[in-house]
Amino acid sequence: MNIQKLIYKNSYDGKGMNTIPIQLKILDNNENRMYLIHKALKQQLKNNRKRNAHSKTRSEVRGGGKKPWKQKGTGRARAGSNRSPLWRGGGVIFGPKNKQYKSKINKKEKRLAINTALANKFANTVVIKEILPNITIPSTKIAIAEIKKYGIQIEENKKYLIIVHQKTKMLHLSLRNIRNIELIEAHSINILCLLKTDIIIMTKDALKLIK
């Protein structure tokens, strides 16, 4: 395991660019890094998968409380419920059920994968002091102007990830209309959002939490 010292570009007030050193633990072997990222991505995608198809068994179908006819003497086959799988409108014997898919990955492996993904994106990461701290009404226009203040131009063909220490309602409402910008909190950072983004905008407090 190698500790690589990364230099993040930093712009606190939009006037000058400084640098912030941050240490992240990543694997030495590039092949092992890709394997770990792939493993973490598979685990996240599998845990997000759900099977919504659901059929009712005879105990879940409504009705069927009364015995259709008496047990003997009618000449017909005995029947205890009109919700039997043999009857029309009855339950299903081996139908599909709701299912939550689960996959496990070790905590250290997951952290290493996230560190590696961050290390791969550090050249396109900008650390800022804060974003829209005093906004009182949601405004997409003000949010875009705030991002441009740090020398970042919003392009339609690129995806942006904004990582904050704590997500506020006004910040969420201001950025939700921009479809190529994703806003997450630092403790919710995951491998999928890091892989699909082109530029990362991170606040100073979020960086402290990640470190």
Side-chain angles (χ1 to χ4, degrees):
M1 187 180 294
N2 178 32
I3 299 178
Q4 182 175 344
K5 193 172 185 181
L6 305 175
I7 305 297
Y8 281 100
K9 288 189 292 183
N10 185 5
S11 175
Y12 286 149
D13 51 8
K15 296 178 182 178
M17 298 296 290
N18 301 315
T19 57
I20 289 182
I22 176 175
Q23 291 186 342
L24 294 175
K25 288 183 180 179
I26 60 175
L27 295 174
D28 295 327
N29 192 336
N30 188 52
E31 190 174 324
N32 291 340
R33 293 181 199 172
M34 293 303 104
Y35 165 74
L36 208 55
I37 289 176
H38 180 253
K39 185 177 180 180
L41 180 62
K42 277 179 62 179
Q43 186 258 351
Q44 183 176 344
L45 291 175
K46 190 170 184 179
N47 287 355
N48 290 342
R49 183 184 172 195
K50 290 181 181 179
R51 189 169 71 187
N52 293 326
H54 179 80
S55 58
K56 293 182 179 181
T57 62
R58 62 183 298 165
S59 63
E60 295 170 318
V61 179
R62 186 176 179 183
K66 183 183 177 183
K67 189 173 173 67
W69 50 75
K70 62 181 184 177
Q71 181 81 349
K72 294 178 177 292
T74 63
R76 290 178 287 187
R78 52 194 173 183
S81 170
N82 60 3
R83 289 297 171 254
S84 164
L86 304 179
W87 286 52
R88 181 181 179 184
V92 179
I93 303 175
F94 297 118
K97 291 290 180 184
N98 291 342
K99 182 177 180 180
Q100 179 72 50
Y101 293 87
K102 288 287 183 183
S103 179
K104 182 184 176 295
I105 186 173
N106 295 332
K107 277 186 179 180
K108 288 184 178 180
E109 287 184 319
K110 191 173 183 179
R111 286 175 183 170
L112 272 175
I114 290 175
N115 285 351
T116 304
L118 277 172
N120 292 338
K121 299 283 184 178
F122 87 96
N124 297 321
T125 301
V126 177
V127 181
I128 62 177
K129 187 175 182 181
E130 50 192 351
I131 181 168
L132 302 177
N134 302 318
I135 191 170
T136 55
I137 57 171
S139 173
T140 304
K141 186 177 181 180
I142 295 175
I144 292 176
E146 179 79 6
I147 294 170
K148 286 182 178 179
K149 189 173 71 174
Y150 297 103
I152 303 169
Q153 297 296 325
I154 305 297
E155 300 177 22
E156 291 185 2
N157 59 343
K158 288 186 177 180
K159 293 188 176 181
Y160 301 83
L161 178 67
I162 298 179
I163 307 173
V164 295
H165 181 266
Q166 189 172 8
K167 193 188 299 184
T168 63
K169 184 178 180 181
M170 292 302 164
L171 184 58
H172 167 69
L173 294 175
S174 299
L175 294 171
R176 67 176 180 175
N177 288 334
I178 313 173
R179 62 180 182 177
N180 58 337
I181 289 182
E182 184 180 357
L183 176 69
I184 64 168
E185 295 181 345
H187 64 81
S188 300
I189 194 168
N190 57 80
I191 195 72
L192 182 60
C193 70
L194 290 173
L195 289 179
K196 67 181 183 180
T197 190
D198 296 309
I199 295 175
I200 299 175
I201 304 167
M202 191 186 305
T203 63
K204 188 179 177 183
D205 291 335
L207 180 60
K208 285 182 181 178
L209 190 60
I210 291 170
K211 287 166 68 176

